[in-house]
Amino acid sequence: MPTVQSNNITLFYEDHGDLANPPILLIMGLGMQLIAWPDAFVIALVAAGFRVIRFDNRDTGKSTWFKGQKARSPALMILATKFGLHLSVPYTLTDMADDAIGLLDALGIPAAHIVGASMGGMIAQIVATKAPERVLSLTSIMSSSGARGLPAATPEVQQRLLAPAPKNATREQLIQRAVDTLTTISYPDPARPADAYQLEASLAYERGSNPAGFIRQLAAIINDGSRVKRLARIKAPTLVIHGRADNLVPLPCGVDTAKHIANARLEIIDAMAHDLPPSQIPHLADLISAHARSATSR
């Protein structure tokens, strides 16, 4: 099982493509495992001439879980931030950025193209501010600057994500819960197989379903607050990708992210919500590949 020790925890990872090729590090979002990066997306990047590394963030999949460390309720944390208070959390997004940097260290990679989705985009932003010498280029997908005043998820999505998992939930209940969430936040792409969500949720459950880890990661997001001042320090060539139909992290969040990073390029995809729709995989891979090549040539 491919694992490394990073930042005093164990990270499970996959390494695809020729080790001599320019590396791309993929960082996934809230509660999601490395399998949320579609195989077709990884294959397309490898075919474009890149070494592609994806991994389970802490508290997901086969990486270290922080069992026994309880996070406060998201509602309480959001209320506290409105009064300028930052409650203690089991770990921070900066800790998760250190995990990613430690993975590069363990693999002997001095610098990589960093690509993050949703929470992973936030982590990627922090990597670019904390360790700029490790970042050849930055791609932030369906993410946010965390600035105050940006629109929040729709009420339906908030209710779906924040509803507590049933006590002693069965395998079938947890899988159906994940299917319902994916259905709610994803674009209704006709190219997506009818059983895609069921297969993804079932595989995620078998690899390691961790509802408590989801809450701890959400606490880390809320605790991190606004990254606007930090984004102004990013020097890496930056591409911001956002779906016009995103109902979890609405489009203005992506627009705001691009606005605060010098010379960032914003790409809006109409047929995309808070997901990586199958029909858009070739386009997404082309955007990221071209961005990485452009950054390298500079």
Side-chain angles (χ1 to χ4, degrees):
M1 188 169 72
T3 62
V4 298
Q5 294 302 301
S6 169
N7 198 20
N8 298 314
I9 64 170
T10 298
L11 293 181
F12 181 92
Y13 74 97
E14 292 180 356
D15 203 338
H16 303 266
D18 191 328
L19 299 187
N21 286 345
I24 291 180
L25 179 66
L26 303 177
I27 309 176
M28 193 24 82
L30 174 63
M32 305 299 283
Q33 302 175 38
L34 64 81
I35 56 172
W37 292 108
D39 288 343
F41 177 69
V42 174
I43 291 168
L45 292 176
V46 170
F50 293 94
R51 172 187 180 183
V52 182
I53 300 133
R54 57 181 178 176
F55 69 103
D56 288 330
N57 284 311
R58 60 171 62 196
D59 249 345
T60 62
K62 298 182 180 182
S63 291
T64 295
W65 292 11
F66 283 69
K67 296 177 180 179
Q69 296 192 32
K70 189 173 182 180
R72 292 180 171 89
S73 76
L76 175 62
M77 292 199 64
I78 292 170
L79 180 63
T81 59
K82 290 183 178 180
F83 291 95
L85 301 175
H86 286 274
L87 303 180
S88 62
V89 291
Y91 50 79
T92 66
L93 288 188
T94 299
D95 291 326
M96 299 182 79
D98 287 337
D99 295 347
I101 295 168
L103 175 57
L104 294 179
D105 289 339
L107 297 179
I109 298 174
H113 301 283
I114 309 296
V115 177
S118 194
M119 179 189 72
M122 302 172 193
I123 295 169
Q125 294 164 19
I126 295 171
V127 172
T129 61
K130 183 172 184 177
E133 74 284 356
R134 310 301 296 272
V135 182
L136 299 174
S137 72
L138 169 65
T139 301
S140 179
I141 307 172
M142 54 191 178
S143 193
S144 174
S145 68
R148 283 195 174 191
L150 289 172
T154 64
E156 178 190 9
V157 172
Q158 291 187 47
Q159 182 179 14
R160 172 74 60 195
L161 289 181
L162 298 180
K167 288 187 177 180
N168 303 315
T170 64
R171 175 185 184 276
E172 289 69 28
Q173 286 176 315
L174 290 173
I175 290 175
Q176 187 58 51
R177 175 185 170 90
V179 169
D180 293 341
T181 298
L182 291 170
T183 303
T184 301
I185 66 175
S186 299
Y187 189 81
D189 188 354
R192 181 180 283 113
D195 60 351
Y197 297 142
Q198 185 72 30
L199 290 174
E200 182 179 343
S202 298
L203 181 55
Y205 178 87
E206 300 303 335
R207 290 186 84 251
S209 176
N210 186 14
F214 175 93
I215 298 299
R216 287 188 286 265
Q217 289 186 352
L218 182 56
I221 293 173
I222 298 169
N223 173 266
D224 198 62
S226 173
R227 286 173 297 283
V228 167
K229 291 182 179 179
R230 285 172 281 174
L231 295 185
R233 303 200 303 266
I234 293 178
K235 303 299 182 186
T238 300
L239 171 64
V240 176
I241 300 173
H242 219 99
R244 192 177 297 278
D246 197 327
N247 58 4
L248 175 55
V249 183
L251 176 58
C253 297
V255 174
D256 188 73
T257 299
K259 180 177 73 173
H260 292 293
I261 300 176
N263 302 313
R265 186 169 116 247
L266 175 65
E267 288 283 346
I268 299 171
I269 299 178
D270 291 335
M272 175 174 161
H274 201 76
D275 63 334
L276 303 172
S279 64
Q280 298 303 315
I281 292 300
H283 181 44
L284 288 165
D286 286 346
L287 284 173
I288 294 167
S289 298
H291 175 61
R293 288 195 198 97
S294 174
T296 302
S297 67
R298 274 183 255 178

